[in-house]
Amino acid sequence: MPTHVAIIMDGNGRWAQNRGKPRHAGHRAGVETVREVMEICGRQGVRILTLFAFSSENWRRPKKEVKMLMELFFTALNREVRRLKKRNVRLRVIGDTSAFSSKLQKLIAESERITRDNDGLLLQIAANYGGRWDMTQAARKLAEQVAAGELQPEKISEETLAARLSFPDVPDPDLFIRTGGEMRISNFLLWQLAYTELWFCDTLWPDFGEKELLQAFADYSRRQRRFGKIAEQVEGEC
Ligand code: IPE
Ligand code: IPE
Ligand code: MG
């Protein structure tokens, strides 16, 4: 089983359009899938679930859709936070949340605080997140420390940079899933996906469920992760 699963939840708009509904109906249906996937992951022993909810490029969408997504984020979080608390889920939002309304920022901080002591599933919601943003803000932190004389440039290593990314305290994703048929990363976790197993499906996010998720886990369990080594070495390790 993967310890950390990262998902690009794609296909909400097309799901709605296929039904002759407005795009927002797809986003709303997508929230239900989030709840279901979270519960299955909890049951299956996944420790960390990272979901891409809004990318740093999604601001380019029509104003109306962006506004609706912000409202949906607020109402869904507001409604679900007590359930998260009860289900022992710890919530963390990753991304540049300073771009959100102060009302949403407050709710995020409050939700993280309410679930802070939970030790079950860690649910990371990537909102106004971009892999390039993450690496840039990490580089800026390093530069500030160098400028302040607290860090020697020779001391900068993969570890020092990784320690300044959005979630330095959790292992990189083991399994990446993208629904909706596109075969790309769309500026999701760039650094952290270096050795992640990638899994794609055509199912649109609102239609994604237990069957697809268990299929992804089964496929994952058959993969051999070599991290640069050869098969014989890896087989010798188990
Ligand atoms: C993913 O679904 C959700 C967000 C990006 C917020 P889309 O809205 O991208 O759905 P499609 O890809 O247009 O079908
Ligand atoms: C990626 O989906 C972002 C999220 C799911 C939040 P997009 O639908 O925005 O990706 P592109 O634009 O098709 O690459
Ligand atoms: Mg999309």
Side-chain angles (χ1 to χ4, degrees):
M1 276 301 295
T3 299
H4 183 175
V5 177
I7 307 181
I8 298 188
M9 313 182 285
D10 198 19
N12 293 347
R14 280 165 284 163
W15 181 90
Q17 276 158 352
N18 290 346
R19 283 166 177 70
K21 292 181 180 176
R23 291 179 59 87
H24 65 78
H27 296 310
R28 272 204 310 276
V31 175
E32 301 305 313
T33 309
V34 170
R35 191 190 295 147
E36 191 190 341
V37 164
M38 204 181 73
E39 292 191 352
I40 302 164
C41 283
R43 274 206 306 276
Q44 295 285 327
V46 171
R47 300 295 305 158
I48 307 138
L49 176 63
T50 303
L51 302 176
F52 206 7
F54 190 85
S55 77
S56 44
E57 288 73 38
N58 285 147
W59 297 106
R60 298 174 185 159
R61 292 189 177 201
K63 262 205 185 75
K64 227 177 79 192
E65 180 164 345
V66 171
K67 184 166 174 273
M68 185 272 145
L69 283 167
M70 292 298 142
E71 283 165 8
L72 183 62
F73 189 22
F74 186 90
T75 51
L77 192 56
N78 204 21
R79 195 181 59 216
E80 299 295 327
V81 62
R82 255 139 230 103
R83 183 200 298 262
L84 297 180
K85 165 104 180 135
K86 254 211 323 263
R87 298 270 158 112
N88 199 23
V89 174
R90 178 156 66 98
L91 176 80
R92 168 189 274 171
V93 176
I94 58 169
D96 184 5
T97 54
S98 71
F100 296 149
S101 71
S102 58
K103 196 175 126 194
L104 181 53
Q105 289 186 51
K106 263 194 219 126
L107 176 65
I108 289 171
E110 178 67 2
S111 306
E112 289 180 332
R113 194 190 59 74
I114 290 173
T115 61
R116 192 175 51 195
D117 297 325
N118 286 353
D119 57 7
L121 182 77
L122 170 63
L123 175 66
Q124 304 196 112
I125 302 287
N128 193 20
Y129 181 89
R132 290 181 174 179
W133 165 83
D134 204 0
M135 288 195 261
T136 305
Q137 63 82 29
R140 190 180 309 117
K141 285 181 194 155
L142 290 173
E144 281 165 1
Q145 285 186 276
V146 170
E150 294 161 11
L151 180 69
Q152 298 297 315
E154 317 76 76
K155 290 273 155 58
I156 295 177
S157 61
E158 291 186 13
E159 287 71 27
T160 54
L161 193 138
R164 286 154 184 85
L165 292 170
S166 289
F167 47 94
D169 51 339
V170 302
D172 289 342
D174 301 292
L175 173 64
F176 160 98
I177 295 172
R178 181 171 188 146
T179 65
E182 309 293 357
M183 307 277 261
R184 54 178 174 255
I185 306 286
S186 298
N187 198 19
F188 193 26
L189 311 164
L190 294 179
W191 177 280
Q192 299 89 340
L193 291 181
Y195 265 105
T196 303
E197 295 298 325
L198 308 179
W199 194 88
F200 298 89
C201 68
D202 289 333
T203 309
L204 304 172
W205 179 249
D207 290 329
F208 187 83
E210 183 148 23
K211 181 171 140 267
E212 290 79 11
L213 191 54
L214 296 184
Q215 182 65 54
F217 291 164
D219 288 349
Y220 171 82
S221 73
R222 286 190 289 270
R223 306 249 184 117
Q224 186 184 54
R225 305 184 73 189
R226 289 191 286 278
F227 300 98
K229 297 180 183 174
I230 63 167
E232 286 78 357
Q233 290 174 293
V234 176
E235 279 146 21
E237 281 162 14
C238 23

